[in-house]
Amino acid sequence: MAETQLERAVALPPSDLAKERPRTRPPRRRRGNPLARILTWAGLGLATVMFTYPLLWLVSASFKPRSDVFDNKLIPETFTFENYLTVWQEAPLALWLGNTAVVTVLSAVLVTLSSAMVAWGFAYFRFRGRDLLFGLVLATMMLPGAVTMIPTFLIWNGLGQVGTLTPLWAGNLFGSAFYIFLLRQFFLGLPRELFEAARMDGANNWHLFTRIAMPLCKPALVVTLLFEFQAAWTDLMRPLIYLRDSSTFTIPRGLKALLDQFGFGGNWHWEIVVTASVITTVPMIILFFLGQKHFVRGIATTGSKG
């Protein structure tokens, strides 16, 4: 009887067995077209310059005297730190930064938690009318902000909150349709068997949400947090509507006041305006670099869920 391949392999010593194994070459990595790669890098470089030039110009102008602000040179001929000293004297930037930090943190945390709860309900629980209700939530995204602006103002005015910071963050207690959709798509990608096993071990719905779902969806939660942080930090419309006293101004509202006073107001001290803009932009840059890893991961994985 002919010797089988398995018996032959067992009978051979390790050295001979290695010789008997067919050698497979690793697949060669295809080299792309050099011209295409050059064009790609050139396009990326051009896009980088286009996006970073305004910020570089702003930083450069903040170190220039009044007469050289618009000379369109990235390297100042006359380098000065006086603008950064003057802006703190002319405007209560520390107070405005504090107000903005309070509003931004409360807005980002509250909308992330509330949206995650609603998204978890739509993703995990199965009940009659779930798809219809979720469709109604998404339909609210089609309403322009101008439609609800006056009714919302009347509500806060009736509650006596106009002139305070409360209307800038309290609305996020009810979540956001966009964030609910974003987080629901991520929750749908989690294996349901994992939650069923945890339920058999005695976990209730709250434990499933806080101890399993939220830790697994950390990238998506970070994306939601960063999105709302940026939106609240740069929001100007609501502060213009609800804030009256300069002691309650946020950074965007304060910059509008500086622009009216030193820009178009007649003084034409644009070096003060650009310096204040640089100071208020730095926290967002720092936040992005701190959360860049989770932000990129969350965007990439969220797009592949559901």
Side-chain angles (χ1 to χ4, degrees), residues 11 20-21 67 92 112 117 120 128 143 182 187 208 220 255 281:
E20 291 289 329
R21 293 177 180 173
S67 59
T112 301
M117 291 180 185
W120 167 249
R128 182 177 300 176
L143 291 175
L182 180 72
F187 285 136
L208 295 179
L255 289 179
T281 305

Side-chain angles (χ1 to χ4, degrees), residues 46-184:
L46 180 61
T48 302
V49 172
M50 293 175 59
F51 280 102
T52 58
Y53 178 79
L55 179 61
L56 295 177
W57 183 93
L58 192 70
V59 174
S60 175
S62 67
F63 292 104
K64 297 177 182 179
R66 178 183 177 182
S67 59
D68 297 340
V69 171
F70 294 104
D71 62 2
N72 208 24
K73 297 179 180 178
L74 293 181
I75 302 177
E77 293 183 358
T78 304
F79 197 90
T80 178
F81 285 97
E82 185 178 355
N83 297 334
Y84 285 90
L85 300 177
T86 305
V87 70
W88 290 98
Q89 298 171 359
E90 297 292 340
L93 280 184
L95 179 61
W96 294 348
L97 285 170
N99 293 338
T100 309
V102 171
V103 172
T104 301
V105 171
L106 288 176
S107 299
V109 172
L110 290 177
V111 80
T112 301
L113 293 178
S114 58
S115 300
M117 291 180 185
V118 178
W120 167 249
F122 282 121
Y124 180 75
F125 297 103
R126 299 171 179 173
F127 53 90
R128 182 177 300 176
R130 181 184 67 168
D131 295 336
L132 176 61
L133 187 59
F134 182 67
L136 292 176
V137 172
L138 295 183
T140 60
M141 298 173 59
M142 303 179 185
L143 291 175
V147 174
T148 59
M149 187 181 298
I150 295 177
T152 304
F153 176 83
L154 295 176
I155 292 174
W156 289 117
N157 188 44
L159 295 175
Q161 296 300 316
V162 174
T164 66
L165 297 176
T166 304
L168 305 185
W169 60 264
N172 288 344
L173 283 168
F174 307 101
S176 169
F178 173 73
Y179 299 140
I180 291 172
F181 170 77
L182 180 72
L183 294 171
R184 175 182 176 270

